[in-house]
Amino acid sequence: MAPPSLPQTPTLASAHTGIPERLLHKATYAKSLIYDGKTVPDTYSLERGLPIPQGISKKAFLSAIEELKSAIGNENVQLNEKEVKNGWYMEHPNTHDMMPLLDAEEFIASAVVYPGSVAEVQLIVRWANQHLIPLFPISIGRNLGYGGAAPRVRGSVTMDLGRRMNKILDINAENYTCLVEPGVTYYALHEELVRRGLQDKMWIDCPDLGGGSVIGNALDRGVGYTPYGDHWGMHSGLEVVLPTGELVRTGMGALEGANTWQCFPYGFGPYNDGIFSQSNFGIVTKMGMTLMPNPGGYESFMYTFQHDSDLGPLMDIIRPLRISNILENVAQVRHGLQTLSVKGHPRTKYWSGKGPMPESVYREHLKETATGDCAWVYYGMAYGPPHIRAHKLAIIDSEFHRIAGCKKIDPATMPKDEYFWSRDRIASGTPDLEELKWVNWMPNGAHIAFSPVSPISGKDAEALYTMAKRRHTEQGFDLMPAFCVGLREMHLIVEIVYDAQDGDMRRRAERCLRDMIDDAAALGYGEYRTHLALMDQVAATYNFNDGALMKLNNTLKDALDPNGILAPGRCGIWPARYRGRGWELTTKDTGRSSEGDGVAKKAGEVKI
Ligand code: EUG
């Protein structure tokens, strides 16, 4: 057990990143499990000192920082020169990636700035243009598994929008919409619905963990588990500060005085929102989001399947049911091993051998759990009043039972603290913290995701699963896949859990991820999202017609950000000043530095 001296997790009452009071006991327990598994102190000194971005002298950089301090206040600009702290999910750093894939001092900020208004965001952007300093905006910075809060370019100044811009600007109970600032988390939005007595009327859609920014997650095209699980698809309206400092509202927000900004996403003319997601073309300062009406009842269900080889037939059964909305939500089809790891214990509790845990070992342990011995688990939900649910559940039950050995687990048999109930909360709009527990699989547990997209088909699921299994076995990792089933596609999520302090394991994790990305591309699959270190490689797999898509992105980048100050390298998009200087990290570079050889001296010609 962890020492009782661990400080209490901040709650929403004291921090915008905090945990809701109702989940405090869970946070306390999760934190103790994580700190039990840490073998090194949280805080470490920066061996390489203040990370100055390339293209500016230390003297000029420090003088620019002084200038910024006098413009927005000393307390709103912090240099990152001595030491950093890793913490854990609920007390995460905004200076670097606490789950590094490369050396911990590669993806790291030189300073963090905290704007308090849109005008200050504009001021900071103009300052960055003037001094040619790379800026990396974050909302909350909990993009964990994909780089967290870390900038792609070493020494970037991180703009932490969330700390001072975290208001829920509007909840419209007639239209079922809201308008939020970057620092609003799923936890905070949900608590506000409860506080206003609206939770019975409308739901949010949240990811597995609720600490992320509603804006940040949608911009990275994250996924949740109600019928509103496609977060980007469910947003309506953005307010954006462009890299040159102009302020834009998209969709109906462009019409002064419109009351339709959160009701109709498209407005008039080109639909521009897309260029501000997974990009470095602007800083989103407000976003509209739709809310789901309470469907008048809901019911989670869970089915288990006995054989690894049931995966293909199951997916072919799921596809027509999902497309016709008999299966209504973004469900997860999880591997048995992941239902074991989410109990929160180190893998050594079950097995202490090297390499992947043998199937016979984890299946024996699964016998003791609520799922029982199985290869796959389907977690889903039916919505609506009882007679509507009964109709759909009957179809699902007879279809799933076409697979021999399929079992429906009666929810009434599951204890209150069983993981099933966490899926139940999430699929009904109540954010949770349970999912965090599998990071304890390894000491100093870190995770990086491989996230390819495929049609909902047995052939595709098997091809990806077989490939991932081969690469995991080669590098000695346990394979814990989960398929998140969208409407006509599914995201396979393979989180490699590794010991962040173990250099050899980190390099094997990188090798495994890079091999899977290449293998997937050779089979025709691409990732929907990826870690900072892998963005160049993933972007290069989107290669139709001699990389025409990246040429278009580059054209947009140069037009919108002539000085190349905004999040250089994010999603593989490099500004002209960086291009052709070896900044791209490609498949062969495992373990190398993240930096290229300088930046062009001359900035763009546009005056700011
Ligand atoms: C998860 C889900 C994701 C993702 C990363 C992690 C959680 C897995 C559906 O998207 O991108 C249990």
Side-chain angles (χ1 to χ4, degrees):
M1 209 35 217
S5 58
L6 280 177
Q8 185 189 295
T9 303
T11 61
L12 277 172
S14 66
H16 72 289
T17 54
I19 192 87
E21 200 72 45
R22 70 176 172 90
L23 291 175
L24 183 56
H25 66 290
K26 276 201 191 189
T28 304
Y29 180 56
K31 186 173 180 177
S32 76
L33 289 178
I34 286 173
Y35 276 78
D36 270 350
K38 288 205 189 205
T39 63
V40 293
D42 249 2
T43 304
Y44 58 93
S45 343
L46 296 179
E47 283 173 15
R48 295 156 72 182
L50 177 67
I52 304 278
Q54 292 200 27
I56 186 168
S57 70
K58 182 163 181 177
K59 186 158 170 276
F61 177 78
L62 290 175
S63 126
I65 289 285
E66 287 310 311
E67 186 191 313
L68 190 59
K69 281 183 176 171
S70 59
I72 66 166
N74 274 334
E75 68 283 12
N76 296 318
V77 184
Q78 279 165 8
L79 272 185
N80 185 34
E81 51 185 341
K82 292 201 177 65
E83 55 180 35
V84 291
K85 187 168 186 224
N86 273 334
W88 68 295
Y89 181 76
M90 284 311 303
E91 293 163 272
H92 68 297
N94 62 7
T95 45
H96 66 290
D97 187 2
M98 70 171 179
M99 299 175 172
L101 201 50
L102 309 181
D103 179 88
E105 287 181 51
E106 284 297 327
F107 297 136
I108 192 161
S110 54
V112 185
V113 301
Y114 301 96
S117 64
V118 171
E120 285 193 356
V121 173
Q122 293 174 287
L123 180 151
I124 296 163
V125 162
R126 293 186 175 118
W127 167 88
N129 272 283
Q130 192 187 340
H131 299 283
L132 299 179
I133 291 172
L135 268 186
F136 193 85
I138 60 169
S139 299
I140 292 286
R142 283 198 180 113
N143 196 22
L144 297 171
Y146 296 117
R152 172 61 179 83
V153 166
R154 184 167 195 276
S156 297
V157 169
T158 291
M159 185 194 284
D160 183 336
L161 291 137
R163 182 179 287 187
R164 298 172 66 211
M165 297 172 72
N166 50 43
K167 283 193 284 300
I168 297 167
L169 297 169
D170 186 40
I171 295 178
N172 186 315
E174 276 75 53
N175 297 336
Y176 294 78
T177 61
C178 63
L179 181 69
V180 295
E181 289 189 326
V184 177
T185 66
Y186 295 98
Y187 289 143
L189 186 54
H190 174 260
E191 289 303 302
E192 184 60 16
L193 286 180
V194 173
R195 198 187 67 79
R196 295 193 193 185
L198 291 171
Q199 169 70 9
D200 285 343
K201 194 173 170 192
M202 60 190 66
W203 295 354
I204 64 166
D205 182 284
C206 55
D208 295 85
L209 296 170
S213 159
V214 175
I215 287 186
N217 185 281
L219 290 178
D220 223 35
R221 300 201 288 263
V223 171
Y225 300 96
T226 75
Y228 280 36
D230 171 3
H231 292 166
W232 179 250
M234 292 298 160
H235 94 281
S236 184
L238 300 176
E239 181 185 83
V240 187
V241 173
L242 297 180
T244 43
E246 294 93 337
L247 184 66
V248 179
R249 288 185 179 178
T250 67
M252 298 309 291
L255 194 153
E256 210 61 75
N259 62 359
T260 41
W261 197 16
Q262 273 64 69
C263 300
F264 182 61
Y266 306 128
F268 182 75
Y271 178 55
N272 296 301
D273 291 40
I275 67 168
F276 300 111
S277 80
Q278 289 198 4
S279 77
N280 46 19
F281 298 159
I283 301 173
V284 175
T285 48
K286 293 180 181 66
M287 185 185 77
M289 196 69 191
T290 54
L291 299 163
M292 179 176 149
N294 181 331
Y298 60 91
E299 183 174 347
S300 284
F301 56 90
M302 175 169 116
Y303 284 86
T304 63
F305 301 88
Q306 287 308 301
H307 310 288
D308 259 25
S309 59
D310 291 339
L311 177 67
L314 175 60
M315 288 307 176
D316 288 329
I317 288 171
I318 290 173
R319 181 183 55 256
L321 296 178
R322 183 73 180 98
I323 293 176
S324 58
N325 258 325
I326 299 295
L327 289 167
E328 295 168 89
N329 70 324
V330 176
Q332 283 195 1
V333 178
R334 286 162 80 105
H335 192 262
L337 183 56
Q338 201 172 17
T339 70
L340 189 65
S341 64
V342 82
K343 305 274 172 210
H345 305 295
R347 86 198 279 271
T348 46
K349 177 183 160 97
Y350 307 105
W351 196 62
S352 46
K354 269 201 178 306
M357 185 180 290
E359 187 175 341
S360 58
V361 173
Y362 63 75
R363 293 197 57 149
E364 196 54 38
H365 288 289
L366 276 175
K367 285 181 185 159
E368 318 290 311
T369 71
T371 49
D373 175 24
C374 67
W376 299 99
V377 188
Y378 183 101
Y379 292 94
M381 189 177 264
Y383 299 89
H387 65 287
I388 304 266
R389 299 202 303 265
H391 170 71
K392 290 177 283 198
L393 288 167
I395 299 173
I396 294 163
D397 196 64
S398 81
E399 285 298 299
F400 279 12
H401 272 103
R402 284 165 50 199
I403 296 176
C406 156
K407 278 192 204 127
K408 182 170 186 178
I409 312 291
D410 179 0
T413 67
M414 283 183 269
K416 275 184 90 133
D417 60 353
E418 179 56 38
Y419 175 75
F420 172 85
W421 296 113
S422 178
R423 289 249 69 88
D424 178 69
R425 285 185 286 277
I426 289 167
S428 55
T430 300
D432 206 346
L433 190 67
E434 273 317 294
E435 195 68 39
L436 191 64
K437 286 192 179 162
W438 48 251
V439 300
N440 299 311
W441 198 238
M442 288 285 178
N444 314 302
H447 60 91
I448 309 272
F450 165 66
S451 318
V453 174
S454 78
I456 309 166
S457 98
K459 185 171 145 289
D460 294 300
E462 278 165 359
L464 282 165
Y465 179 61
T466 306
M467 179 277 283
K469 183 121 193 163
R470 185 174 78 245
R471 293 307 191 181
H472 275 63
T473 304
E474 279 171 13
Q475 301 303 336
F477 288 108
D478 295 317
L479 173 59
M480 296 187 271
F483 292 89
C484 303
V485 187
L487 201 53
R488 278 181 182 73
E489 53 72 43
M490 55 194 184
H491 296 29
L492 165 59
I493 306 295
V494 172
E495 291 272 14
I496 296 185
V497 185
Y498 64 100
D499 178 347
Q501 295 302 319
D502 181 333
D504 171 63
M505 199 182 293
R506 226 169 47 219
R507 276 184 291 279
R508 283 188 282 123
E510 189 185 353
R511 185 73 273 153
C512 186
L513 288 159
R514 291 198 184 282
D515 286 344
M516 290 193 294
I517 292 166
D518 280 351
D519 287 355
L523 295 166
Y525 304 107
E527 281 65 57
Y528 93 104
R529 188 175 177 191
T530 200
H531 186 273
L532 281 180
L534 308 171
M535 286 176 171
D536 294 309
Q537 186 187 348
V538 167
T541 64
Y542 287 78
N543 59 2
F544 168 75
N545 191 19
D546 194 25
L549 184 62
M550 188 52 80
K551 288 178 194 164
L552 170 62
N553 289 337
N554 286 342
T555 302
L556 290 170
K557 182 65 177 167
D558 293 343
L560 293 171
D561 185 9
N563 291 325
I565 54 106
L566 193 63
R570 178 156 169 70
C571 291
I573 305 163
W574 291 96
R577 288 185 74 214
Y578 293 73
R579 238 171 266 149
R581 292 164 181 271
W583 286 84
E584 295 84 356
L585 287 169
T586 63
T587 182
K588 295 174 206 69
D589 295 328
T590 304
R592 70 158 248 210
S593 129
S594 64
E595 292 189 277
D597 187 15
V599 291
K601 284 220 167 48
K602 211 166 157 355
E605 300 300 325
V606 176
K607 281 252 184 318
I608 307 301

